[in-house]
Amino acid sequence: MLEATDLMVFYENMLALNNISISCRDNQIVGVFGANSAGKSTLMYSLSGIMLDIRKKEKMAGGERITLTGQLTFQGKDIMDMKPSDRARAGIVLCPERRRLFKESSVMENLRIGGYLATKAQARESLDYVMTLFPALQKMTKRLAGFLSGGEQQMVAIGRALMAQPKILLLDEPLMGLSPLMQATLIRAVKKIQEQSDISIIVSEQYARPVFPIVDYAYILENGAAVMEGTREELMDNPDVKSAYFGMS
Ligand code: ATP
């Protein structure tokens, strides 16, 4: 459904993505794992199209030159030059790193903002779904997002993305900075989204371990390049992956 071929991104002369080809099929969960600066956010920005906006802003400010090349298709259609807002409308929805909530707005307002592309009926249905997926949010709808814990904020961020009627959800480091217990709760919720809808999911994380059990396929990035890829089973059986990413030998 989403296919990137030979994606390259340069920030000026710095190569941030080096010939990356990744694909996500219908209703799959695809993991993208890599250390700090491996290129995870750059990849998510390129898939969601935000990179085009960043490039435009940088150009207007007379700043660094960003170069983006390669092919990108969504449901068989070339979307390489499609604006991020049109990609969102088509169903490619990013849940960005560090959540980026409207901190001075309530949980409900944040969720409703996510539903701006939805019809009233869709928004109502998605809101019900978000509340079932994250029951903890039911009692917090009036609280300001900025006063929630990191994990609760991440629930709101994923909820907001679901309100936008995604066909593919891009989750950029959703577990960052959260306790193991909260990580487990969120990962269970991500798995449920896959089981209960036909949404596809690409999830990036620095540490593979908590996410690995739910991925169908995964890529390992190093310095902007995909150095390994495979199904969960293939990667689990790979001794290099085990030692480098799970601390097991
Ligand atoms: P993190 O876990 O730190 O978010 P990441 O895997 O998401 O890392 P990216 O943020 O995609 O990595 O960064 C990839 C590389 O590109 C890094 O070396 C980073 O410093 C560089 N980079 C990212 N954004 C810019 C920018 N706007 N201008 C210049 N270099 C950038």
Side-chain angles (χ1 to χ4, degrees), residues 33-115:
F33 303 117
N36 263 334
S37 306
K40 304 180 295 295
S41 298
T42 301
L43 177 64
M44 293 300 205
Y45 288 158
S46 304
L47 300 178
S48 62
I50 285 172
M51 195 51 97
L52 302 184
D53 276 359
I54 298 175
R55 183 173 65 181
K56 201 157 66 184
K57 271 193 207 132
E58 285 291 346
K59 202 168 167 192
M60 273 160 41
E64 66 184 346
R65 224 165 30 117
I66 296 174
T67 315
L68 172 65
T69 63
Q71 288 95 48
L72 189 58
T73 62
F74 179 57
Q75 297 181 319
K77 197 173 147 214
D78 175 8
I79 58 159
M80 193 65 181
D81 297 319
M82 192 191 262
K83 287 193 298 192
S85 52
D86 291 338
R87 290 189 205 187
R89 213 161 278 133
I92 304 173
V93 177
L94 173 70
C95 185
E97 190 182 346
R98 293 180 214 287
R99 337 202 213 282
R100 308 264 166 86
L101 294 178
F102 298 98
K103 300 230 161 113
E104 323 259 287
S105 300
S106 71
V107 166
M108 186 54 82
E109 283 160 347
N110 270 280
L111 292 174
R112 291 211 185 282
I113 291 163

Side-chain angles (χ1 to χ4, degrees), residues 10-243:
F10 287 88
Y11 297 110
E12 296 279 2
N13 296 326
M14 205 213 87
L15 182 57
L17 283 191
N18 185 1
N19 246 339
I20 295 241
S21 298
I22 82 162
S23 66
C24 180
R25 305 217 187 112
D26 286 347
N27 203 219
Q28 263 190 337
I29 299 182
V30 168
V32 174
F33 303 117
N36 263 334
S37 306
K40 304 180 295 295
S41 298
T42 301
L43 177 64
M44 293 300 205
Y45 288 158
S46 304
L47 300 178
S48 62
I50 285 172
M51 195 51 97
L52 302 184
D53 276 359
I54 298 175
R55 183 173 65 181
K56 201 157 66 184
K57 271 193 207 132
E58 285 291 346
K59 202 168 167 192
M60 273 160 41
E64 66 184 346
R65 224 165 30 117
I66 296 174
T67 315
L68 172 65
T69 63
Q71 288 95 48
L72 189 58
T73 62
F74 179 57
Q75 297 181 319
K77 197 173 147 214
D78 175 8
I79 58 159
M80 193 65 181
D81 297 319
M82 192 191 262
K83 287 193 298 192
S85 52
D86 291 338
R87 290 189 205 187
R89 213 161 278 133
I92 304 173
V93 177
L94 173 70
C95 185
E97 190 182 346
R98 293 180 214 287
R99 337 202 213 282
R100 308 264 166 86
L101 294 178
F102 298 98
K103 300 230 161 113
E104 323 259 287
S105 300
S106 71
V107 166
M108 186 54 82
E109 283 160 347
N110 270 280
L111 292 174
R112 291 211 185 282
I113 291 163
Y116 77 105
L117 294 171
T119 63
K120 267 198 178 142
Q122 282 173 329
R124 207 172 308 128
E125 197 179 316
S126 301
L127 187 60
D128 284 349
Y129 181 61
V130 170
M131 292 299 165
T132 325
L133 189 65
F134 298 120
L137 295 183
Q138 288 170 14
K139 287 193 220 110
M140 313 184 174
T141 53
K142 298 206 174 83
R143 287 181 52 196
L144 296 188
F147 288 108
L148 304 183
S149 73
E152 290 158 356
Q153 289 191 12
Q154 189 61 57
M155 292 177 191
V156 179
I158 295 176
R160 182 180 60 179
L162 287 171
M163 294 289 292
Q165 315 300 309
K167 293 196 173 79
I168 183 162
L169 195 53
L170 308 176
L171 300 175
D172 196 4
E173 298 198 53
L175 307 183
M176 191 169 48
L178 304 180
S179 71
L181 193 66
M182 184 52 81
Q183 292 189 354
T185 303
L186 286 167
I187 282 303
R188 265 200 307 277
V190 173
K191 181 68 185 164
K192 271 194 197 155
I193 296 172
Q194 181 194 35
E195 289 167 352
Q196 297 169 345
S197 73
D198 47 17
I199 298 173
S200 308
I201 296 163
I202 301 182
V203 51
S204 80
E205 272 303 329
Q206 188 166 348
Y207 301 106
R209 195 190 272 262
V211 188
F212 215 74
I214 66 160
V215 301
D216 299 298
Y217 199 89
Y219 297 84
I220 293 173
L221 300 194
E222 265 175 34
N223 300 319
V227 292
M228 243 181 283
E229 63 173 273
T231 62
R232 183 182 56 236
E233 291 77 16
E234 284 164 356
L235 291 173
M236 288 277 264
D237 289 341
N238 183 319
D240 292 341
V241 175
K242 266 195 192 160
S243 61

